[in-house]
Amino acid sequence: MRAVAAGSVEAVAVIDLVDEPLDLESRAWLADLRATGAAHDAAVARLHALLLRAARFETARRRPTLPHLRGDELDDIALEAADDALVSVLRRLDDFRGASRFTTWAYKFALLEAAVKLRKRAWQAREVPLEPESWQLFAGGTAPDEAAARSELVSAVRIAVATELTPHQHRVLVALALNGVPIDVLADRLGTTRGALYKTLHDARRRLRAALAESGLDLEEMG
Amino acid sequence: MKDDKKLHALLGPAGPEVGCDDCFELLDRYVEAELAGGDADALLPGVRAHLAGCPACREEHESLRALVAESF
């Protein structure tokens, strides 16, 4: 069907996605959503209910991390996410090729919409820190030799972060990886996309790894 | 360990990975392969590495997996 690797941040083996035979339930979903009149309207209503269930699942999962949001605010976010996901699913209906169940494919749109809205809501009134705030979290290992090795690595990482990156890479890496700013929030503030930001983060990480390897540091344990 | 998490967040995954957009495209198939007990990483190379390096996609993967698992 398509070579998914085209938009990858790094070359991976080309994935050959062939059209899969649709299961009966997925085939019924597509037929109903492509119908006209009352059958179409009923299918859209069922799809919206499915997406709202997924969005509420996401808001419920994240509720403990969002104590300042009331239940009705969370439900408003879920409803908005389901509405937006419905538009996305209907617009992309022809992209569904049966690689998964239709419901699994549709769920991911609602979960994405809900997750992005919740992250943005959590950071709504917060300043996005673009300078390192968290170097002090590197406290070193427990054993003395481990602590010394870790200290050397952390020191080399600090130097590499300060010297190897472009200003934009530095800003993005620090915000995302060091200060824990959600990627959607940073993309919003910088007027860019999540995909573009991750590409910048990926390139910055590659430069750091290359610099550390040149310094003779063993990064094996870092995966 | 907090230090390792921070270092991993800075350095990211070592191997090739897909980007956020491709991860989203593949996520439904990846999750169903996982839940079916298949080798999702071999089927869709680069997704697992991306999930290790991208907290947002990782959260969405965990949610989709948990939601689909209820009826799989």
Side-chain angles (χ1 to χ4, degrees):
Chain A
M1 184 176 73
R2 63 182 284 253
V4 171
S8 303
V9 290
E10 188 168 349
V12 295
V14 173
I15 300 157
D16 187 21
L17 285 186
V18 294
D19 288 9
E20 303 283 345
L22 294 182
D23 62 276
L24 288 178
E25 189 188 340
S26 298
R27 195 177 304 174
W29 270 109
L30 289 184
D32 292 347
L33 288 168
R34 285 172 175 150
T36 54
H40 170 78
D41 293 347
V44 169
R46 275 196 299 130
L47 178 59
H48 188 268
L50 183 94
L51 298 171
L52 184 56
R53 175 174 172 257
R56 283 179 171 151
F57 182 86
E58 184 66 9
T59 55
R61 271 171 72 86
R62 291 170 183 270
R63 187 170 193 158
T65 65
L66 298 160
H68 59 291
L69 288 184
R70 299 191 314 269
D72 59 334
E73 289 178 297
L74 285 170
D75 211 50
D76 286 346
I77 290 171
L79 187 57
E80 197 182 332
D83 291 348
D84 291 348
L86 180 67
V87 172
S88 296
V89 169
L90 293 178
R91 192 177 58 228
R92 295 194 49 187
L93 209 53
D94 290 342
D95 293 345
F96 176 69
R97 303 285 181 176
S100 69
R101 296 177 185 177
F102 176 80
T103 49
T104 305
W105 181 75
Y107 278 153
K108 70 179 178 180
F109 290 89
L111 293 173
L112 173 72
E113 291 289 350
V116 169
K117 289 180 196 316
L118 288 167
R119 288 188 202 110
K120 288 182 179 174
R121 189 61 179 268
W123 280 73
Q124 200 167 35
R126 291 175 66 180
E127 191 181 339
V128 170
L130 299 175
E131 292 302 321
E133 292 185 337
S134 309
W135 289 113
Q136 68 273 18
L137 288 176
F138 293 99
T142 49
D145 56 343
E146 186 186 342
R150 185 49 51 101
S151 173
E152 184 188 7
L153 178 59
V154 171
S155 175
V157 170
R158 290 181 67 159
I159 292 168
V161 168
T163 61
E164 295 291 330
L165 307 179
T166 67
H168 181 57
Q169 286 174 337
H170 184 272
R171 193 164 58 229
V172 169
L173 179 87
V174 165
L176 297 180
L178 212 49
N179 294 339
V181 179
I183 194 165
D184 310 298
V185 173
L186 188 63
D188 211 34
R189 302 283 173 99
L190 297 181
T192 183
T193 65
R194 177 162 158 178
L197 269 192
Y198 195 82
K199 175 75 167 65
T200 301
L201 175 67
H202 176 267
D203 292 345
R205 285 166 160 172
R206 283 290 167 270
R207 289 184 76 155
L208 289 184
R209 280 186 174 271
L212 296 171
E214 273 179 31
S215 305
L217 286 164
D218 179 15
L219 300 177
E220 194 83 4
E221 65 178 281
M222 298 312 302
Chain B
M1 189 172 146
K2 197 179 284 183
D3 285 7
D4 284 345
K5 280 186 181 172
K6 278 285 173 190
L7 280 171
H8 190 271
L10 279 168
L11 299 177
E17 60 174 309
V18 300
C20 291
D21 294 341
D22 281 341
C23 184
F24 181 76
E25 292 302 318
L26 299 169
L27 199 58
D28 48 319
R29 193 181 185 200
Y30 186 86
V31 161
E32 288 195 356
E34 284 184 307
L35 292 174
D39 188 345
D41 195 41
L43 181 69
L44 302 168
V47 174
R48 182 180 295 167
H50 181 73
L51 296 176
C54 180
C57 288
R58 186 163 61 244
E59 287 175 1
E60 288 147 21
H61 164 255
E62 287 167 0
S63 293
L64 184 61
R65 187 182 160 122
L67 179 58
V68 174
E70 289 183 348
S71 59
F72 200 75

